[in-house]
Amino acid sequence: MRYCRFIFEGHVHYGSVEDRAQEPWIVDLAAAPEEDLAFHLAHARKRALVDDPTGFDFEPMPLSAANLLAPVTPSKIVCVGRNYRDHAKELGNEVPAEPLLFFKPPSSLLNPGGVVRMPTASARIDFEGELALVIGKRATKLKPDADWRSVVRGYTLANDVTARDLQKKDGQWTRAKGFDSFCPVGPWVSDEVDPTAGFEIETRVNGELRQHGSTADFIFGIPELLAYITAAITLEPGDLVLTGTPAGVGPLNAGDRVEVSMPGLGVLTNTFQPEHS
Ligand code: ZN
């Protein structure tokens, strides 16, 4: 299963994504994940926005030609800080004894291809390429040896954009991590990859390789993360868990193009521009 979310002729649709010779295509419409709580909140009063896939004549199109949306409608975005040893070290931090959690608000979500707006309040805005888990079933108080795959719908890519100066200045991270447009996600959700098998993540800035990590280097693996998070917080269908970033983070300039990629998850591309331009 691989699905994206996009706007076509003014309506929101979900689409099935397949690799074709040159590039990925949206080959058919897919059912909306109706179990998503946030999906219901968003659409309860405007159901007409989501077409019945059966009543719509869809012609396949290259993904690059589609007006893509973030493929998820999370009620919350739970993030893990310092989950790769080399990244903890590069920022001069100890390797944590237990996962370090923070939130990004759903209002920070940004579409694949969207423009990150660089707030004037910050003088240093960093990229952080990350693997994101998409929750598929309500999960609460999961045991570390639970069947965690049964609550994960699939995987996607995220850029945990961070105002590094404000992260230090504020003492907590809500503003530094939470500006509008600071959470690009996509381009699609897939359950056809296995991140526990050592999964390579790369981040490029203007085409130059800046981050290259493997999920084999996680300090806390996915089962431990899900047990730790759900001991405190119930995860709902559609929620995102950002699993942390490898070494190589760095500041961006206006006009920069950031690409986060993993095999099987495509490329999440976003550009950065000043807030007022
Ligand atoms: Zn991060």
mmCIF file of all heavy atoms in Angstrom, residues 58 85 94 263:
data_model
loop_
_atom_site.group_PDB
_atom_site.id
_atom_site.type_symbol
_atom_site.label_atom_id
_atom_site.label_comp_id
_atom_site.label_asym_id
_atom_site.label_seq_id
_atom_site.Cartn_x
_atom_site.Cartn_y
_atom_site.Cartn_z
ATOM 1 N N PHE A 58 -11.167 8.973 -12.926
ATOM 2 C CA PHE A 58 -9.812 9.442 -12.680
ATOM 3 C C PHE A 58 -8.848 8.946 -13.760
ATOM 4 O O PHE A 58 -8.823 7.765 -14.091
ATOM 5 C CB PHE A 58 -9.324 8.961 -11.302
ATOM 6 C CG PHE A 58 -7.926 9.387 -10.983
ATOM 7 C CD1 PHE A 58 -7.660 10.702 -10.640
ATOM 8 C CD2 PHE A 58 -6.868 8.487 -11.052
ATOM 9 C CE1 PHE A 58 -6.366 11.116 -10.357
ATOM 10 C CE2 PHE A 58 -5.577 8.888 -10.770
ATOM 11 C CZ PHE A 58 -5.322 10.204 -10.427
ATOM 12 N N ARG A 85 23.072 8.618 17.759
ATOM 13 C CA ARG A 85 24.225 8.971 18.593
ATOM 14 C C ARG A 85 25.044 10.124 18.004
ATOM 15 O O ARG A 85 25.439 11.038 18.699
ATOM 16 C CB ARG A 85 25.163 7.767 18.748
ATOM 17 C CG ARG A 85 24.679 6.798 19.762
ATOM 18 C CD ARG A 85 25.440 5.495 19.737
ATOM 19 N NE ARG A 85 24.514 4.430 20.130
ATOM 20 C CZ ARG A 85 24.107 4.234 21.370
ATOM 21 N NH1 ARG A 85 24.554 4.964 22.341
ATOM 22 N NH2 ARG A 85 23.233 3.286 21.646
ATOM 23 N N GLU A 94 24.661 14.928 25.680
ATOM 24 C CA GLU A 94 24.842 13.550 26.124
ATOM 25 C C GLU A 94 23.876 12.660 25.342
ATOM 26 O O GLU A 94 22.794 13.104 24.946
ATOM 27 C CB GLU A 94 24.472 13.431 27.608
ATOM 28 C CG GLU A 94 25.335 14.265 28.542
ATOM 29 C CD GLU A 94 26.719 13.671 28.731
ATOM 30 O OE1 GLU A 94 26.792 12.476 29.072
ATOM 31 O OE2 GLU A 94 27.710 14.388 28.497
ATOM 32 N N PRO A 263 14.764 5.029 0.551
ATOM 33 C CA PRO A 263 14.307 4.087 -0.475
ATOM 34 C C PRO A 263 12.872 3.645 -0.207
ATOM 35 O O PRO A 263 12.550 3.258 0.911
ATOM 36 C CB PRO A 263 15.271 2.896 -0.323
ATOM 37 C CG PRO A 263 16.430 3.403 0.469
ATOM 38 C CD PRO A 263 15.936 4.551 1.295
#
